[in-house]
Amino acid sequence: MRPREFDHDEVLRIAFEQFWRKGVRGTSLSDIARDAAVQRGSLYNAFGSKEALFLQAYERYAGDYLAALQKALGSGSLRKRLTAFFDLTIANFRSGTPPRGCPTTRGLMELGAAEGEGLDDNARQAFARLISRITALLQDTLAAAAARGEFDGNPAAAALHIVTVTRGLAVLERAFGDEPQLRKIAAHTIDLVLGRKGG
């Protein structure tokens, strides 16, 4: 008898929702199989392990998130673009009931310090790749703004600064859950990057 066919993309979506909400350690393949209405064995056959399923689900999320950030950074003055970037970033942390936080930060906290303990180096590389791609998107946006005369700073340094602030926002969101505080920090960061007068 052939195993039941399932919608690969839908399973990745359902799995990522669980991983995002409960963490990789707190999520079981049985939970995912139940919510996706597939056999646990089918998940093993298709993905090999819970960690491999997580990595595929995370890569799918990363692609969607980058596309959304690209759109947010795509039009308007530099101030408008950076505001849209922070708005999307904060909305992402605050999504869900209760808010689920940042999946990348949560995943980084689950990296194992030793072999066979927690997520492995493949996961670390996936998280680092997304952060690097976000930094590159911001750097391109800032470099284009510099070419238009809207920005006179260092695009690479400013992009890294903004990404570093978003990592801090993810931690503050977990600690306090105070969205107005996050938005205030974001607005202040934009003022610093633009020297208050920019865009």
Side-chain angles (χ1 to χ4, degrees):
M1 222 171 101
R2 289 179 66 218
R4 182 181 180 280
E5 297 284 326
F6 60 80
D7 181 335
H8 193 83
D9 205 51
E10 180 65 3
V11 167
L12 290 178
R13 186 193 66 74
I14 289 166
F16 194 70
E17 283 296 315
Q18 293 229 11
F19 290 133
W20 194 351
R21 203 167 61 247
K22 300 189 291 192
V24 179
R25 286 190 190 114
T27 300
S28 72
L29 278 179
S30 298
D31 293 340
I32 295 166
R34 184 196 62 234
D35 284 6
V38 299
Q39 296 296 313
R40 191 164 172 267
S42 297
L43 294 180
Y44 272 117
N45 290 339
F47 301 101
S49 68
K50 181 171 74 168
E51 288 72 21
L53 171 54
F54 169 73
L55 281 174
Q56 281 198 43
Y58 182 80
E59 291 292 357
R60 178 187 174 279
Y61 157 81
D64 291 347
Y65 187 54
L66 282 165
L69 286 178
Q70 204 159 12
K71 189 174 175 192
L73 289 165
S75 62
S77 67
L78 181 56
R79 180 177 293 277
K80 186 177 173 195
R81 291 171 198 236
L82 294 178
T83 301
F85 168 85
F86 275 112
D87 285 349
L88 181 62
T89 301
I90 292 167
N92 194 45
F93 298 162
R94 300 286 298 157
S95 65
T97 308
R100 296 170 295 193
C102 171
T104 303
T105 302
R106 179 190 276 273
L108 285 164
M109 295 304 107
E110 292 196 64
L111 288 176
E115 189 73 28
E117 176 189 291
L119 288 170
D120 65 11
D121 201 54
N122 291 326
R124 186 194 62 73
Q125 288 173 27
F127 302 142
R129 203 159 42 243
L130 177 58
I131 292 169
S132 295
R133 289 169 74 189
I134 293 169
T135 307
L137 262 182
L138 282 163
Q139 186 173 332
D140 289 349
T141 301
L142 291 159
R148 294 192 305 269
E150 274 191 274
F151 178 66
D152 61 5
N154 178 322
L160 196 54
H161 177 81
I162 291 167
V163 168
T164 302
V165 170
T166 66
R167 299 301 88 210
L169 291 178
V171 173
L172 290 175
E173 193 283 324
R174 291 289 80 191
F176 303 109
D178 184 346
E179 190 168 330
Q181 179 194 48
L182 303 182
R183 293 191 178 281
K184 204 176 290 182
I185 293 165
H188 181 59
T189 302
I190 293 168
D191 282 345
L192 286 174
V193 168
L194 300 182
R196 283 194 179 273
K197 303 182 288 292

